[in-house]
Amino acid sequence: MQIKKIIPVVLLLCIPIAYFAYERGIFLPRWVEWHATDFRENIDHDETEERIVLKNRTLWIDEERMSEEGWLVSDVQIADIDRDDTKEILLLVWNQNAYGKYHPFWVEEKKNTFYQHLYIFSYANDKLKPFWMSSALHPNIKIMTIDNGILFIEDPDGEKSQWAWNEWGIERIDETNIPY
Ligand SMILES: [Ca+2]
Ligand SMILES: [Ca+2]
């Protein structure tokens, strides 16, 4: 086969491969830290511990897939973010929705763009229940840790900040006087 005939075939084969790679976040920023974890914790206050697994950018609890199709989960944390003695599940997620199901009609979302989100869920009856869902994060979160209900965040530029639950959502507390 002549080389001129081979090149278009190779290019055609590259398109689905590139799309497959794109859908799996191959082209997301290099600073993203993709965590993997496997631990047990009682997150719903019953008699047994749940097994929480983050593997291949997918969250599983007790062998059931919890993260939706199209979500790329980079980190999972369990914490009582609103201090009501019930634990929540915090996920750092990349997906192609800037706003999720309830995006404002006057804002046009860019197609084929990945956005980072912080999603918080409660867990009961073997299911995740949305507790608080961010729109596209700006700036992004590179590192997220939680201590005693306070969220410690580092962005890709190394800027550090502290956040906490304040009745209606997550609010920055290292620049305000919220009494935590
Ligand atoms: Ca349990
Ligand atoms: Ca809680």
Side-chain angles (χ1 to χ4, degrees):
M1 189 181 288
Q2 293 176 350
I3 190 76
K4 282 183 181 174
K5 290 181 179 174
I6 293 172
I7 288 172
V9 172
V10 170
L11 288 175
L12 270 177
L13 284 172
C14 286
I15 292 170
I17 292 170
Y19 184 73
F20 181 86
Y22 170 79
E23 288 289 301
R24 279 146 191 81
I26 300 298
F27 304 116
L28 284 172
R30 293 176 65 86
W31 56 259
V32 180
E33 297 183 358
W34 297 101
H35 294 262
T37 190
D38 184 342
F39 61 98
R40 290 181 183 277
E41 186 164 341
N42 191 357
I43 50 178
D44 58 359
H45 292 262
D46 65 2
E47 304 298 314
T48 58
E49 292 184 329
E50 284 68 47
R51 183 183 178 197
I52 298 115
V53 175
L54 177 57
K55 187 179 176 185
N56 297 331
R57 308 178 180 186
T58 304
L59 179 74
W60 304 80
I61 297 180
D62 288 342
E63 324 300 333
E64 292 287 328
R65 179 177 178 149
M66 290 291 151
S67 49
E68 292 183 11
E69 236 7 273
W71 290 12
L72 302 172
V73 183
S74 66
D75 199 8
V76 56
Q77 304 269 343
I78 309 294
D80 180 13
I81 194 70
D82 63 342
R83 301 169 185 240
D84 69 344
D85 292 328
T86 304
K87 294 171 184 171
E88 283 77 45
I89 300 169
L90 291 84
L91 298 182
L92 276 181
V93 174
W94 291 86
N95 62 29
Q96 296 182 55
N97 300 311
Y99 292 93
K101 294 172 184 168
Y102 307 105
H103 88 271
F105 66 87
W106 61 88
V107 176
E108 191 174 340
E109 284 186 338
K110 289 183 197 166
K111 299 290 182 195
N112 301 319
T113 301
F114 274 93
Y115 302 93
Q116 189 191 38
H117 302 265
L118 172 60
Y119 291 156
I120 305 178
F121 298 91
S122 55
Y123 182 77
N125 302 319
D126 304 329
K127 287 188 168 52
L128 294 184
K129 183 179 171 190
F131 182 86
W132 184 82
M133 315 285 275
S134 83
S135 54
L137 292 173
H138 184 77
N140 290 129
I141 297 176
K142 182 183 179 188
I143 299 170
M144 174 179 79
T145 57
I146 306 169
D147 185 17
N148 198 26
I150 295 177
L151 203 55
F152 295 84
I153 282 172
E154 184 174 328
D155 74 16
D157 295 326
E159 187 80 24
K160 294 178 180 174
S161 56
Q162 297 175 27
W163 303 71
W165 185 259
N166 186 25
E167 293 186 8
W168 48 268
I170 299 288
E171 189 168 86
R172 187 164 182 172
I173 60 169
D174 56 342
E175 289 184 334
T176 63
N177 296 313
I178 296 171
Y180 283 109

